[in-house]
Amino acid sequence: MRDERRTTGGTTLAVLHTDGAPSDAVRARADDLVDACGAVLVRGLGIDGADAFHSAVARFGASLIDSYRGGNTPRATVSDGVFTSTEYPARYDISLHNEMSYAHRWPTRLYFCCLDAPDTGGATPVCDGEALLAALSPRVRDRFASGVVYHQHLHGGFGLGKSWQATFETDDRTVVEEFLTASEADHEWTGDGGLRVRQHRPGLRKNPRTGRDTWFNQADQWHPSNLPADDAETLLSLVDSHADLPHWVTYADGEPLTAEDLAEVRAAHRAHRHAEPWQEGDLLIVDNMSVLHGRQAFTGTRKVVVSMT
């Protein structure tokens, strides 16, 4: 068993080659590398399907999250605790983000596995949140330190984006209200059967792995400028105001994010993003509070599954 480090900017991805080592030894070394780097790519486990992936992740001990309730992106359940990665057109990148950082509770670890590698592209890039934060000017850090407000406008069965039924995996309004109350989220039902949700969350958090402040939000991803220009223009033409978008985000004081701040955040993404091409059977483990992840555009077929703990 051997490992190596791949570094871009302030991000380091550990790559662990199992070389036939016993599973207990692989698990222990992978845990050490996650603690050291925040993310590790494990090669050589021989994972050839969702069942084998589930078994491999289960060896790490923590219980798998069995529901994506409240999640803002489309994904399908493969089996208990195993989901497809975000289902989004292959020609587009998925921007870097911390999984469910807009929520009251979020996964601690993410486990990705490549079951079918694409012809080109399709990597799951990673970016160290502390390196990203350090790359920002004090002015931008201060704007996000007070937090951000995530706004959702979920239709009741027909409209833009996900319905509230699909988002919360139920048709029962009482279940939704109980979930949102427990999540400390403001909400209101609309006259046409839709639901508006408002969640004020920190933009920065203390990383329990290091004890230091880290970037932990999805503000830029929830902004329409995250979409390709033509798509953003089309989407905005379909609504009367930003509040009617499926997703919208503001600073804590209610002011819209500025183009200058978003440009600085995205430049930090690019400077510290590392993308390792997938090989079939690879297992990528990400400490969600330490490291952001995304997806490159790709050609051909690509099947990546994910479990969360």
Side-chain angles (χ1 to χ4, degrees):
M1 186 166 52
R2 57 191 172 86
D3 58 81
E4 52 190 324
R5 311 294 171 93
R6 312 280 173 81
T7 299
T8 301
T11 298
T12 297
L13 173 69
V15 180
L16 176 62
H17 302 270
T18 61
D19 295 337
S23 59
D24 287 349
V26 171
R27 183 187 68 246
R29 185 57 181 151
D31 282 337
D32 288 344
L33 291 171
V34 172
D35 288 343
C37 302
V40 58
L41 183 69
V42 185
R43 286 196 158 141
L45 290 174
I47 300 173
D48 58 3
D51 290 343
F53 168 62
H54 185 282
S55 297
V57 174
R59 295 190 189 103
F60 283 86
S63 298
L64 303 186
I65 295 173
D66 61 3
S67 170
Y68 190 57
R69 181 174 297 151
N72 71 311
T73 54
R75 66 175 76 227
T77 300
V78 177
S79 62
D80 289 345
V82 179
F83 305 90
T84 59
S85 58
T86 298
E87 296 172 2
Y88 195 62
R91 65 184 182 277
Y92 297 139
D93 290 342
I94 296 176
S95 58
L96 292 164
H97 60 284
N98 303 96
E99 190 68 30
M100 298 186 75
S101 55
Y102 52 83
H104 181 58
R105 298 179 64 185
W106 54 87
T108 301
R109 273 193 184 184
L110 312 174
Y111 296 84
F112 298 93
C113 182
C114 179
L115 301 180
D116 187 1
D119 294 339
T120 64
T124 298
V126 292
C127 175
D128 186 273
E130 292 181 24
L132 189 163
L133 182 61
L136 301 177
S137 66
R139 177 186 60 81
V140 173
R141 287 199 300 270
D142 288 345
R143 292 301 300 270
F144 284 97
S146 59
V148 295
V149 180
Y150 299 98
H151 305 259
Q152 289 173 285
H153 181 207
L154 305 170
H155 62 80
F158 180 79
L160 297 172
K162 291 176 72 176
S163 68
W164 62 262
Q165 295 95 331
T167 299
F168 297 103
E169 301 174 359
T170 182
D171 295 324
D172 190 331
R173 290 192 179 199
T174 301
V175 172
V176 174
E177 291 170 354
E178 290 173 349
F179 179 89
L180 291 173
T181 298
S183 301
E184 301 178 358
D186 297 326
H187 67 278
E188 62 175 334
W189 298 100
T190 64
D192 60 358
L195 175 66
R196 294 186 186 274
V197 180
R198 180 180 180 274
Q199 303 184 74
H200 179 196
R201 305 297 184 202
L204 318 177
R205 289 186 184 271
K206 193 72 70 176
N207 184 352
R209 187 175 66 86
T210 66
R212 297 185 292 267
D213 286 341
T214 189
W215 178 266
F216 193 76
N217 70 75
Q218 289 171 244
D220 65 297
Q221 191 179 60
W222 280 50
H223 195 274
S225 63
N226 184 60
L227 296 169
D230 290 347
D231 289 2
E233 183 178 349
T234 299
L235 180 62
L236 290 170
S237 72
L238 297 174
V239 297
D240 295 327
S241 71
H242 285 92
D244 293 325
L245 291 169
H247 303 107
W248 172 239
V249 63
T250 64
Y251 297 112
D253 60 8
E255 289 297 312
L257 275 62
T258 68
E260 292 79 12
D261 288 358
L262 288 168
E264 191 170 321
V265 170
R266 289 165 179 158
H269 283 180
R270 292 190 295 272
H272 298 281
R273 175 180 57 202
H274 179 83
E276 191 71 21
W278 280 116
Q279 296 179 16
E280 290 181 8
D282 281 352
L283 174 67
L284 173 65
I285 308 172
V286 175
D287 182 296
N288 190 37
M289 285 204 70
S290 298
V291 174
L292 296 77
H293 70 280
R295 190 207 71 188
Q296 290 181 331
F298 65 92
T299 63
T301 59
R302 177 186 188 270
K303 184 174 183 180
V304 173
V305 291
V306 60
S307 287
M308 300 173 278
T309 61

